[in-house]
Amino acid sequence: MKNRVVQLLFVFAIAAILLIVLNKSIISLYTLIGILLPITIIGISFVIFIENRSPQSTLAWFLILAILPVIGVLLYLLFGRSRWRRKKHLQRSEEKRMIFREILEGRSFNLDISSSLNERSTYLTQIIQKFGGGPVANETSTKLLTNGNETFSEILQAIENATHHIHIQYYIYRSDEIGTAIRDTLIRKAKSGVIVRFLYDGLGSNKLRRSFLQPMKDAGIEVVEFDSILSPWLLETVNYRNHRKIVIVDGTIGFTGGLNVGDEYLGRSKKFPIWRDSHLKIAGKAISKLQAIFLEDFLYATSSLNMESWHQFMDSTYFPSQGIHQAEGAVQIVASGPSSDDTNIRNALLKIMSSAKKSIWIATPYFIPDQETLTLLRLSALSGVDVRILYPGKGDSIISDQASQSYFTPLLKAGVSIYRVKEAFMHAKIVLVDDEVASIGTANMDIRSFELNYEIIAILYESTTVLDIKNDFEQDFKESTEITWASFQKRSMQKRMLESLTRLISPLL
């Protein structure tokens, strides 16, 4: 009902403008706009008010509508609508929902809580599963991949060794040197008989052209776009993007983390000659959850497949049960998005961080926390926990960078240490707690990743990879400049005003 109010107002405005074009004698265009615009703004404000959004988001929208009314209306129609509208859109097919449940809850999963985990880790895995996370998987090995050269080398090698299927999904996939190299490898494997499915986000990869994609289709690769920006459903989907990065080979090896596919991730960008990033290689039982998440996304984006054709994915070819018996620790995959019942990833991270007794180390390229996250970090630091945030030395967005820095003052006052990586764009998304539990994945420490994007993280418990993550953090801290409270207080008044202004709209970023 409340969203129909805005739709009806918008349709009425378009109809009235068309009426003017057909009969200019009725009323002037400017007069009509002067009448309709306030009505539309009042209608939108009413919808925002009764949706009970966070106070920060509500006030931000009211501010934009008051200061920039025309732009504010357009922004709301594209980006401001409640994420629950997206859930309704996602569930428009009952048949697909049944398949989702069959994939996610089917007999394919044979995951067990590792008895070797200590009491604290076991408790966290159980709580996070209640929060919407997947079951914890033992017999799973992981490997930290640092930066682009190591990551793409491992991914290309895994693709080369594929014998049955390759599933690949990215938010950003570029048609540059590394993108072409991976594409050509996929084409070669497809021609050799390997099943290849390629899923890309319609906004993040909007520069992919038919000339780049057609050779894959000609080779038999299933190429699917997730929510095209040219879709008639644009108003429902444009603000809710699939930010996941997933590669799965033969159902036994998988990859996820911070890196998309593009030459900039190899440090080949003039703007960012130093690109610091982290990815994760996974092998063993945890791949079952990763596979199910990919298939859910692929099934949603593929409208031509019928229910019967998806039963093929329920056998051991796609969900093999074998694990890595010598692997230490355990892995838990958590996914969330605008169609989730709750902010699963954000809740899981809050639970992990709230368990900290010694340290919380965070690496994120964008830091726009909600109030609960900000409060938790402040209270943790005030209670003596070593809270550190690793942040880019060079940002890729002035607005996001300034908005992020607007949160530094209360954190620095509470004793949080903030480090900026020198001359580098630090793009890794990692949380490390007490050198025992770590999260690595696609989600930034910001409201967009928590609420608006489809994201995925892998939580590692008592794994040697956790120590590798700690070693990377320590090396990054050595190559960074710490922001002190004294130095941060010396910034100019113009910069403070810019931070304050961007903070007002930060819930919308």
Side-chain angles (χ1 to χ4, degrees):
M1 176 64 184
K2 55 194 177 186
N3 286 284
R4 290 188 179 276
V5 172
V6 177
Q7 291 174 344
L8 290 173
L9 287 170
F10 184 66
V11 170
F12 175 67
I14 296 297
I17 292 172
L18 289 175
L19 189 62
I20 288 178
V21 174
L22 295 175
N23 189 353
K24 295 183 179 180
S25 63
I26 297 178
I27 189 172
S28 72
L29 177 61
Y30 292 110
T31 301
L32 187 61
I33 291 176
I35 296 173
L36 290 179
L37 186 59
I39 295 175
T40 303
I41 291 174
I42 291 172
I44 292 174
S45 300
F46 174 74
V47 170
I48 292 173
F49 177 73
I50 64 174
E51 281 178 342
N52 288 325
R53 305 186 184 202
S54 68
Q56 299 95 326
S57 176
T58 301
L59 290 175
W61 277 114
F62 286 172
L63 181 67
I64 289 179
L65 289 169
I67 297 178
L68 302 169
V70 175
I71 295 176
V73 169
L74 294 175
L75 288 175
Y76 176 82
L77 291 173
L78 286 174
F79 305 116
R81 311 179 74 191
S82 170
R83 72 188 186 97
W84 303 112
R85 292 286 298 166
R86 181 65 168 87
K87 184 176 182 180
K88 180 180 179 180
H89 175 69
L90 176 67
Q91 294 180 341
R92 64 182 181 269
S93 168
E94 174 64 23
E95 191 171 272
K96 288 186 177 182
R97 293 209 312 275
M98 292 173 64
I99 299 172
F100 291 169
R101 288 194 295 269
E102 188 171 1
I103 290 173
L104 293 173
E105 301 173 7
R107 294 187 301 273
S108 306
F109 292 117
N110 182 24
L111 308 180
D112 302 304
I113 293 179
S114 173
S115 59
S116 64
L117 293 180
N118 62 34
E119 183 179 353
R120 179 234 197 146
S121 295
T122 301
Y123 169 74
L124 286 175
T125 63
Q126 294 171 342
I127 296 300
I128 290 171
Q129 189 168 358
K130 292 179 181 178
F131 286 172
V136 67
N138 60 354
E139 297 184 16
T140 300
S141 69
T142 56
K143 180 181 179 181
L144 179 66
L145 305 176
T146 304
N147 295 331
N149 285 323
E150 186 176 4
T151 298
F152 293 126
S153 175
E154 289 275 357
I155 290 175
L156 281 167
Q157 181 179 351
I159 291 173
E160 288 280 9
N161 294 333
T163 59
H164 182 264
H165 69 271
I166 301 166
H167 290 162
I168 184 167
Q169 169 182 358
Y170 280 99
Y171 172 64
I172 295 174
Y173 194 104
R174 302 201 190 280
S175 56
D176 50 20
E177 185 176 344
I178 184 61
T180 301
I182 294 176
R183 181 203 66 171
D184 292 348
T185 305
L186 294 174
I187 290 174
R188 187 168 64 255
K189 297 300 293 186
K191 289 181 177 179
S192 72
V194 174
I195 300 170
V196 181
R197 297 180 176 90
F198 182 91
L199 178 63
Y200 65 96
D201 184 78
L203 179 63
S205 301
N206 70 85
K207 293 183 179 180
L208 288 183
R209 298 292 177 256
R210 181 179 179 182
S211 59
F212 182 83
L213 298 173
Q214 192 60 45
M216 287 196 286
K217 296 178 181 179
D218 293 341
I221 297 174
E222 296 181 68
V223 179
V224 178
E225 183 179 15
F226 191 100
D227 282 346
S228 170
I229 57 174
L230 301 178
S231 167
W233 298 97
L234 178 64
L235 292 180
E236 303 287 351
T237 63
V238 67
N239 197 34
Y240 309 108
R241 305 317 310 179
N242 197 316
H243 195 243
R244 294 169 182 156
K245 299 95 172 153
I246 298 174
V247 177
I248 300 168
V249 176
D250 294 338
T252 58
I253 297 175
F255 301 86
T256 191
L259 285 89
N260 292 288
V261 174
D263 285 347
E264 66 265 37
Y265 296 88
L266 289 162
R268 298 173 183 169
S269 167
K270 292 182 179 180
K271 183 178 181 181
F272 299 110
I274 304 176
W275 190 287
R276 173 69 184 88
D277 220 325
S278 297
H279 222 66
L280 188 69
K281 180 181 180 180
I282 307 172
K285 285 187 175 181
I287 297 299
S288 292
K289 180 63 175 178
L290 203 65
Q291 182 82 283
I293 292 167
F294 172 87
L295 290 175
E296 179 182 341
D297 286 347
F298 194 84
L299 174 59
Y300 162 75
T302 307
S303 59
S304 61
L305 297 180
N306 56 45
M307 191 176 199
E308 288 74 19
S309 66
W310 281 89
H311 284 291
Q312 63 179 300
F313 296 114
M314 299 311 300
D315 61 29
S316 60
T317 307
Y318 290 95
F319 292 92
S321 59
Q322 71 269 22
I324 309 297
H325 295 286
Q326 70 274 20
E328 296 180 357
V331 179
Q332 189 171 28
I333 304 293
V334 184
S336 65
S339 60
S340 303
D341 290 333
D342 208 338
T343 53
N344 301 339
I345 288 178
R346 174 259 198 187
N347 294 345
L349 293 177
L350 284 179
K351 187 61 183 179
I352 292 171
M353 292 189 293
S354 67
S355 74
K357 298 177 180 178
K358 297 185 299 182
S359 61
I360 302 172
W361 292 357
I362 299 170
T364 180
Y366 313 105
F367 184 77
I368 302 176
D370 56 17
Q371 190 58 49
E372 291 81 1
T373 304
L374 184 66
T375 300
L376 173 62
L377 294 177
R378 290 184 61 254
L379 293 180
S380 296
L382 288 169
S383 64
V385 175
D386 176 20
V387 181
R388 305 186 193 184
I389 298 173
L390 190 65
Y391 188 75
K394 294 177 64 176
D396 66 340
S397 168
I398 294 177
I399 295 178
S400 293
D401 187 36
Q402 296 302 315
S404 295
Q405 292 185 53
S406 72
Y407 293 91
F408 286 1
T409 294
L411 292 172
L412 290 170
K413 288 178 68 175
V416 175
S417 301
I418 301 176
Y419 294 81
R420 301 199 70 163
V421 184
K422 297 176 183 176
E423 301 301 319
F425 183 51
M426 205 290 308
H427 193 252
K429 303 105 167 34
I430 300 176
V431 174
L432 173 65
V433 174
D434 292 349
D435 303 338
E436 291 184 7
V437 182
S439 162
I440 178 171
T442 68
N444 301 305
M445 191 64 67
D446 65 4
I447 296 172
R448 170 160 290 278
S449 284
F450 290 163
E451 297 188 6
L452 302 178
N453 287 342
Y454 288 90
E455 305 280 6
I456 184 171
I457 62 172
I459 303 174
L460 313 180
Y461 301 93
E462 303 173 34
S463 166
T464 55
T465 304
V466 174
L467 298 180
D468 294 334
I469 289 173
K470 178 187 178 183
N471 292 335
D472 267 11
F473 261 116
E474 291 175 340
Q475 183 61 37
D476 288 329
F477 290 143
K478 291 178 182 178
E479 299 174 0
S480 301
T481 301
E482 183 176 1
I483 300 176
T484 64
W485 169 246
S487 64
F488 195 67
Q489 285 296 97
K490 294 179 181 179
R491 65 198 191 283
S492 66
M493 180 57 66
Q494 292 88 337
K495 188 175 187 309
R496 294 179 186 225
M497 292 179 64
L498 182 59
E499 290 172 5
S500 299
L501 179 61
T502 54
R503 179 163 181 162
L504 287 174
I505 62 173
S506 65
L508 313 181
L509 296 178

